[in-house]
């Protein structure tokens, strides 16, 4: 484990937080943009590559007991209409640690909030992090963090998964609140070396009491990873009775300001997307105003959460997972301007 670098705790001013909210808010909702009749779909990650938009998403059969996560690719010319492109990762019967659960997320996308949205190569390869496990079911403990690399991010056949997890809840240096399962990971290159390292992973992990917080890990070579800091960097659980999850971090940068969009969930409530801001990736100022996305429409009457944001055509596109009481879970879209 690498200790947090010494830095002065710096609160992000309220007027800056308000400005970020005004830039990120997406009041125009379009409902489902990617939905499968027999499966639950989840966790969009969107990027621009080779003249078109690509979207990684995960799915699991509605009969979760005999299923597990797989990862797929869809493509689009306008970010609204998507068509299937193929599989990125499929389950198998190999018995490996990642054979039954393999939920992938695009890595090393352009960190600039108003940048290119491109997925960026390192050492001649493109990278994907993934949630992994070798048991059937809906997110059965324990789950690990895997890494794969390939030569074409739109072609799943080009990817090869690493032989071992890059992080595990069973690691000797696992922090107390991440010893049950590791969930979604967001891997980015930080040119500022704010942590002292080139690459950073933000991820949410589950403790033995089934609450989830957001942690960091770092690397300089995308082979060896170490936990960064002795505890979480974002903890909306401790001191907040009833809160269960802060998770699915998505990070962009605006000047010297890091923006983390993530979701919160309270027992018995409805999950929603919000954000926090930081100058050092360790001390985060939480937005205290209205959610960026929340349950408002009948198609999302249970949850509206799990963010991925794209800025294109002078418009913010907020992809999220919508869940309703008819056992539907799918990728939905909201924008900052009307598209039709």
């Amino acid at each position: 484990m690498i200790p947090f670098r010494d830095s002065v705790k710096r609160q992000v001013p309220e007027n800056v937080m308000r400005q970020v909210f005004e830039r990120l808010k997406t009041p125009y909702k379009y409902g489902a943009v990617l939905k499968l009749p027999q499966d639950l779909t989840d966790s969009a990650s969107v990027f621009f590559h080779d003249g078109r938009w690509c979207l990684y998403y995960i799915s699991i059969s509605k009969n979760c007991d005999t299923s597990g996560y797989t990862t797929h690719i869809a493509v689009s010319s306008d970010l609204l209409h998507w068509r299937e492109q193929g599989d990125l990762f499929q389950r198998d019967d190999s018995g490996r640690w990642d054979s039954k659960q393999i939920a992938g997320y695009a890595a090393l996308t352009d960190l600039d909030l108003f940048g290119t949205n491109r997925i960026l190569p390192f050492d001649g390869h493109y990278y994907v992090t993934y949630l992994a496990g070798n048991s059937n079911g809906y997110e059965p403990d324990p789950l690990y963090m895997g890494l794969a690399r390939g030569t074409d991010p739109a072609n799943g056949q080009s990817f090869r998964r690493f032989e071992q997890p890059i992080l595990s809840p069973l690691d000797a240096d696992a922090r107390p609140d991440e010893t049950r399962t590791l969930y979604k990971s967001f891997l980015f290159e930080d040119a500022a070396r704010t942590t002292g390292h080139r690459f950073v992973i933000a991820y949410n992990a589950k403790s033995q009491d089934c609450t989830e917080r957001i942690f960091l890990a770092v690397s300089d070579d995308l082979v060896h990873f170490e936990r960064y800091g002795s505890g979480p960097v974002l903890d909306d659980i401790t001191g907040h009775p009833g809160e269960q999850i802060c998770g699915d971090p998505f990070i962009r940068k605006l000047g010297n300001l890091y923006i983390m969009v993530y979701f919160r969930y309270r027992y018995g409530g409805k999950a929603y997307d919000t954000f926090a801001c930081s100058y050092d990736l360790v001390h985060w100022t939480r937005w205290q105003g209205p959610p960026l996305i929340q349950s408002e429409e009948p198609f999302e009457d249970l949850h509206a959460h799990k963010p991925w944001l794209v800025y294109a055509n002078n418009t913010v596109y907020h992809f999220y997972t919508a869940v309703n009481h008819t056992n539907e879970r799918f990728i939905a879209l909201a924008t900052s301007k009307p598209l039709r």
Side-chain angles (χ1 to χ4, degrees):
M1 181 188 301
I2 299 172
F4 288 134
R5 296 182 85 179
D6 290 336
S7 62
V8 176
K9 184 176 181 180
R10 186 178 171 192
Q11 191 83 1
V12 180
E14 183 178 349
N15 68 308
V16 174
M17 297 296 291
R18 169 61 64 175
Q19 290 169 9
V20 171
F21 174 76
E22 292 298 324
R23 288 174 180 263
L24 297 185
K25 66 180 182 181
T26 52
Y28 301 96
K29 290 188 173 180
Y30 296 91
V33 294
L34 203 155
K35 186 177 184 180
L36 301 179
Q38 303 301 320
D39 295 336
L40 307 174
T41 61
D42 216 329
S43 299
S45 48
V46 181
F47 58 91
F48 192 75
H49 177 72
D50 199 21
R52 61 184 176 177
W53 295 98
C54 298
L55 185 155
Y56 293 161
Y57 70 97
I58 65 178
S59 71
I60 184 172
S61 169
K62 290 183 178 180
N63 182 11
C64 296
D65 291 343
T66 58
S67 184
Y69 282 136
T70 58
T71 310
H72 315 277
I73 307 168
V75 296
S76 174
S77 60
D78 63 2
L79 289 166
L80 183 60
H81 303 93
W82 296 89
R83 62 180 176 85
E84 293 295 322
Q85 179 73 7
D87 295 330
L88 183 66
F89 301 129
Q90 274 289 354
R91 288 159 30 98
D92 59 52
D93 295 320
S94 67
R96 270 177 47 131
W97 56 275
D98 59 355
S99 60
K100 295 300 183 183
Q101 307 281 343
I102 182 161
Y105 318 106
L108 304 185
T109 51
D110 187 353
L111 195 63
D112 185 351
L113 178 62
F114 300 116
T116 66
N117 297 293
R118 294 183 183 275
I119 189 169
L120 306 173
F122 171 70
D123 199 22
H125 291 87
Y126 298 93
Y127 286 78
V128 172
T129 59
Y130 62 96
L131 170 157
N134 60 1
S135 299
N136 289 325
Y138 184 77
E139 299 181 353
D141 302 325
L143 295 170
Y144 313 97
M145 189 187 301
L147 186 66
R149 63 182 182 182
T151 55
D152 181 356
N155 180 3
Q157 298 300 313
S158 78
F159 278 86
R160 297 294 179 268
R161 285 136 55 186
F162 284 26
E163 289 298 319
Q164 299 295 330
I166 57 172
L167 291 173
S168 163
L170 309 179
D171 291 336
D173 66 343
R175 291 156 290 205
D177 289 321
E178 60 168 340
T179 57
R180 190 158 182 166
T181 269
L182 308 186
Y183 285 112
K184 184 180 178 181
S185 48
F186 183 86
L187 170 60
F188 63 97
E189 182 175 8
D190 182 26
R193 305 293 199 277
T194 298
T195 64
H197 300 274
R198 182 173 180 177
F199 301 104
V200 181
I201 297 178
Y203 63 98
N204 55 304
K206 185 166 67 177
S207 65
Q208 292 300 318
D209 68 358
C210 292
T211 55
E212 297 175 35
R213 298 160 176 83
I214 294 173
F215 299 85
L216 298 183
V218 294
S219 175
D220 290 307
D221 59 7
L222 291 186
V223 175
H224 306 94
F225 291 81
E226 292 187 74
R227 285 170 166 83
Y228 182 64
S230 58
V233 294
L234 199 62
D235 179 359
D236 289 333
I237 312 303
T238 305
H240 298 84
E243 293 286 335
Q244 184 181 6
I245 300 173
C246 57
D248 284 42
F250 167 86
I251 295 177
R252 285 291 183 259
K253 200 172 183 186
L254 183 61
N256 67 339
L257 185 70
Y258 297 91
I259 303 167
M260 181 193 294
V261 186
Y262 68 104
F263 85 85
R264 293 184 67 171
Y265 172 72
R266 183 181 181 86
Y267 284 110
K270 298 179 179 182
Y272 61 90
D273 286 350
T274 185
F275 71 96
C277 294
S278 174
Y279 296 109
D280 63 3
L281 289 172
V282 174
H283 303 101
W284 292 88
T285 302
R286 295 159 179 78
W287 169 242
Q288 301 298 326
L292 290 174
I293 290 289
Q294 61 183 325
S295 299
E296 298 171 306
E297 305 292 341
F299 67 80
E300 56 181 7
D301 61 359
L302 289 184
H303 305 299
H305 65 332
K306 301 188 176 183
W308 191 285
L309 276 63
V310 165
Y311 183 80
N313 309 314
N314 295 314
T315 303
V316 177
Y317 296 74
H318 188 146
F319 294 87
Y320 65 98
T321 300
V323 185
N324 61 42
H325 73 281
T326 63
N327 197 30
E328 292 183 321
R329 178 181 289 256
F330 52 84
I331 307 303
L333 174 65
T335 62
S336 60
K337 298 177 181 179
L339 301 181
R340 299 170 180 150

